[in-house]
């Protein structure tokens, strides 16, 4: 799913309700920071994940990626704690990825949630 439709992506606006069958795994690798309406976006992620499924997030850490185009949001670990509390998710992993840990992952939040 991507609004730009590139690389074979299905075009959906994450700010509008998406009615697709839920999946076992929903990934958010550098997507949600580009969506102005965070509440609608994360409600879609919740809707798209099956009960017992996993949501894997890799997003920019607050104060970083300042030249990232069309980036409306950056995140803290507490953002995902709050998200887990709001939706009743189990936090499997929630940490900062800093320089040298993984290729192209500097200054990111890495979070895995179970619905």
């Amino acid at each position: 799913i991507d609004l730009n439709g590139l690389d074979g992506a299905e075009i959906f606006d994450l700010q509008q309700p998406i009615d697709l069958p839920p999946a076992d795994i929903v990934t958010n690798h550098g997507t949600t920071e580009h969506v102005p309406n965070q509440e609608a976006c994360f409600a879609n992620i919740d809707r798209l994940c099956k009960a017992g499924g996993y949501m894997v997030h890799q997003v920019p850490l607050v104060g970083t990626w300042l030249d990232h185009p069309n980036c409306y949001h950056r995140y803290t670990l507490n953002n995902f704690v709050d998200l887990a509390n709001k939706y009743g998710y189990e936090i499997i992993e929630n940490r900062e990825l800093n320089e040298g840990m993984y290729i192209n992952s500097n200054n990111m939040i890495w979070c895995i949630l179970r619905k």
Side-chain angles (χ1 to χ4, degrees), residues 42 75-89 91 94 111 113:
F42 281 100
Y75 302 86
T76 68
L77 296 175
N78 284 337
N79 290 129
F80 288 96
V81 171
D82 293 344
L83 186 69
N85 289 335
K86 177 179 180 173
Y87 286 101
Y89 301 148
I91 297 173
N94 189 28
C111 182
L113 302 170

Side-chain angles (χ1 to χ4, degrees), residues 54-55 84 87-93 111-115:
Y54 295 87
M55 291 153 279
Y87 286 101
Y89 301 148
E90 175 187 0
I91 297 173
I92 304 299
E93 190 167 356
C111 182
I112 302 172
L113 302 170
R114 184 173 181 269
K115 184 172 180 180

Side-chain angles (χ1 to χ4, degrees), residues 94-113:
N94 189 28
R95 63 188 172 101
E96 293 181 18
L97 298 178
N98 295 306
E99 190 169 346
M101 292 185 72
Y102 298 96
I103 296 172
N104 297 325
S105 66
N106 298 346
N107 301 309
M108 304 288 282
I109 296 291
W110 173 259
C111 182
I112 302 172
L113 302 170

Side-chain angles (χ1 to χ4, degrees), residues 64-82:
T64 66
W65 292 75
L66 301 178
D67 295 328
H68 194 42
N70 301 315
C71 183
Y72 302 104
H73 305 281
R74 288 157 187 87
Y75 302 86
T76 68
L77 296 175
N78 284 337
N79 290 129
F80 288 96
V81 171
D82 293 344

